[in-house]
Amino acid sequence: MSTAELGIAASTIWVVLAAILVLFMQAGFAFLEAGLTRMKNVGHIAAKNVLILGVVSIVYYLVGFGIAFGDGGGGLVGGSGFVPSVDQLLAIGAEPFSWFGSVPGAAGYLFEVAFAAVSLAIVWGAMAERTRLWVYLAFGVVFTLLYSVVSHWVWSPDGWLYTKGMQDFAGSTVVHYQGALAGLAGALLLGPRIGKFVDGKPQPIPGHNMAFTTLGVIILWFGWFGFNPGSTLSVDFGGVGFFAYVALNTNLAASAGVLGALTASWIVIKKPDLSMMLNGAIAALVAITAACAFVAPWAAIVIGFVAGVIVVLGSLLVERVGIDDPVGALAAHGMSGVWGTLALGFLTVPELADKLETGRGGLLYGGGFHQLGIQALGLVAVGAFTFTASFLVLWLMKVTVGIRTEPHVEGMGLDVSEHGMWGYPEFYIPVPGGYGTEHGHRLVSHHPRDAPASAPAPVHG
């Protein structure tokens, strides 16, 4: 085996391992979201995270990978590589996926489809506990296509934002900001959960298991070492072992995010709220995702700490304006994604921009406002496209078939109504002298814990 072949083999092993870490992040999302929601919806939360992998993997293979990274297309969308053949997936650095010059096309697909799945998981977090299951299937197909288009803009060598020099190393904009925008469209069209707002004032609907949430965040933190360092897509991109530098910045930012959220919650809420600390870690990981390869370690700490503050203040703001986001996705992924993208306009080290051949140095290093302007342009373009398209598609679904569960279904829980099963069977299975009665194939719980809230039901789609 030649030296070149050894390099390809090492890079392929690294990219596949990183892809596995990113795919495992779906377990993190499942625990995070299940913990922050109520026990009557735990099975539904778990089911949708499995469904994400099923939908995204197939759609991305058929068309998404070609849209995102196929050669041709004029900078707006990939123009080749749809339903890739065996030869195309085994080729290295050849059309239609010439961008993947260090690994086979199959390794590139596996890594990139894992990113698409993460972005879709963010969408569903903001729509949790009141969305019909079929919406996850139908909109999951649509969102995978939208995600692929934006991926081409920012990451493909002929993408129009890439050629302008936009810096987004691993997806603060492409993955997280975009997922939050679609989630915002869904949350607005769905309306809040029953009982979330009474006389316009937000009411706490606590999650049922903070240990689950903590486990989910730790899994996501662990998986992020595939997410960011893996985006080198080779063992020698930026220099041999450069991915270790990316990993270091990733960990520093996440750690600072916990401290930033702790500080902000202690000052604003008067308590060191655990859920805020956990979302602080996620927000910091989101923010550093764009910047991890472009900034100095001290800047990674600053980016992470500020993201931790943003997620606390942002979550409170989202509630104040009347939007129900059960898991805090809009602040953790949306607002923090914006911050991480814009931070590069200030903090990019010129030598790193030159090394990676992407954009320029930041304002702090004498680079002027050019990079900041490009970053802002990317946010505006991606925001307008993703939110408008997502809102339109979900609105059409709402007015035709309906996207929200009925009030009695929401009160009973989506585990039973959507799946005919329970996340916690011992609380719901009818037994002599128990709490439930079966009517046909659907269980109606009579336990007072599960009675629908007395607040007026929102308008349904």
Side-chain angles (χ1 to χ4, degrees):
M1 184 179 290
S2 67
T3 302
E5 289 174 329
L6 283 172
I8 291 171
S11 293
T12 302
I13 292 170
W14 164 235
V15 171
V16 171
L17 175 61
I20 292 170
L21 288 173
V22 180
L23 287 169
F24 188 59
M25 289 172 71
Q26 291 299 325
F29 280 113
F31 275 106
L32 169 65
E33 295 173 14
L36 289 175
T37 54
R38 291 165 289 185
M39 65 166 58
K40 62 184 178 182
N41 297 314
V42 166
H44 181 74
I45 295 292
K48 75 177 180 60
N49 279 281
V50 175
L51 184 59
I52 285 169
L53 290 175
V55 171
V56 172
S57 297
I58 301 300
V59 176
Y60 201 76
Y61 167 74
L62 294 176
V63 290
F65 194 36
I67 291 173
F69 297 107
D71 291 326
L76 293 177
V77 63
S80 59
F82 308 111
V83 196
S85 66
V86 173
D87 289 341
Q88 291 171 337
L89 292 171
L90 293 177
I92 299 169
E95 292 185 358
F97 304 117
S98 55
W99 190 69
F100 295 94
S102 301
V103 295
Y109 161 81
L110 191 64
F111 185 74
E112 298 298 341
V113 76
F115 273 50
V118 167
S119 193
L120 185 56
I122 296 164
V123 182
W124 299 148
M127 299 170 62
E129 296 206 285
R130 72 268 203 209
T131 305
R132 297 170 65 183
L133 185 69
W134 81 271
V135 178
Y136 297 138
L137 179 61
F139 187 70
V141 173
V142 174
F143 181 79
T144 302
L145 302 179
L146 300 179
Y147 170 86
S148 300
V149 171
V150 172
S151 298
H152 188 83
W153 292 359
V154 180
W155 287 337
S156 178
D158 68 344
W160 73 275
L161 285 171
Y162 182 95
T163 58
K164 287 185 178 296
M166 184 177 180
Q167 297 167 342
D168 185 12
F169 189 73
S172 291
T173 295
V174 177
V175 179
H176 299 280
Y177 175 58
Q178 191 175 190
L181 288 166
L184 173 61
L188 290 173
L189 288 166
L190 284 166
R193 291 168 291 175
I194 296 172
K196 177 59 182 177
F197 294 97
V198 177
D199 296 327
K201 296 181 179 180
Q203 306 298 312
I205 301 181
H208 86 285
N209 194 323
M210 290 309 297
F212 273 15
T213 304
T214 303
L215 177 60
V217 170
I218 292 173
I219 291 173
L220 288 169
W221 193 329
F222 180 76
W224 235 284
F225 291 112
F227 204 96
N228 288 359
S231 293
T232 57
L233 290 174
S234 74
V235 295
D236 59 356
F237 176 82
V240 176
F242 180 69
F243 62 84
Y245 180 80
V246 175
L248 178 145
N249 276 346
T250 299
N251 192 62
L252 287 175
S255 303
V258 173
L259 300 179
L262 170 65
T263 302
S265 64
W266 224 328
I267 293 172
V268 178
I269 307 175
K270 309 304 180 185
K271 293 289 183 180
D273 186 270
L274 173 59
S275 65
M276 290 297 185
M277 293 169 61
L278 294 172
N279 263 336
I282 298 300
L285 287 163
V286 167
I288 199 60
T289 294
C292 51
F294 292 100
V295 300
W298 69 263
I301 294 173
V302 171
I303 290 171
F305 190 91
V306 172
V309 175
I310 286 173
V311 79
V312 174
L313 302 180
S315 297
L316 297 175
L317 176 62
V318 168
E319 279 199 341
R320 180 165 296 181
V321 299
I323 299 173
D324 185 11
D325 175 13
V327 303
L330 303 182
H333 297 274
M335 297 178 190
S336 297
V338 170
W339 157 239
T341 301
L342 292 177
L344 283 161
F346 299 96
L347 299 172
T348 293
V349 177
E351 291 79 7
L352 292 175
D354 292 341
K355 177 191 286 285
L356 305 179
E357 300 180 351
T358 307
R360 303 181 185 178
L363 180 63
L364 189 65
Y365 291 90
F369 288 93
H370 175 82
Q371 194 61 48
L372 182 60
I374 295 299
Q375 301 301 104
L377 173 64
L379 288 171
V380 171
V382 172
F385 171 74
T386 303
F387 180 80
T388 301
S390 299
F391 191 93
L392 177 60
V393 171
L394 287 167
W395 177 81
L396 288 173
M397 291 180 180
K398 175 178 178 176
V399 299
T400 53
V401 184
I403 62 175
R404 180 165 179 160
T405 58
E406 296 299 320
H408 72 280
V409 170
E410 185 178 338
M412 179 172 56
L414 277 66
D415 283 5
V416 177
S417 62
E418 293 285 331
H419 305 278
M421 51 78 69
W422 307 267
Y424 293 92
E426 65 270 27
F427 285 98
Y428 298 103
I429 292 179
V431 295
Y435 298 129
T437 305
E438 284 194 358
H439 297 286
H441 297 290
R442 181 172 291 177
L443 176 77
V444 179
S445 174
H446 297 305
H447 194 284
R449 169 183 55 230
D450 304 312
S454 58
V459 177
H460 296 285

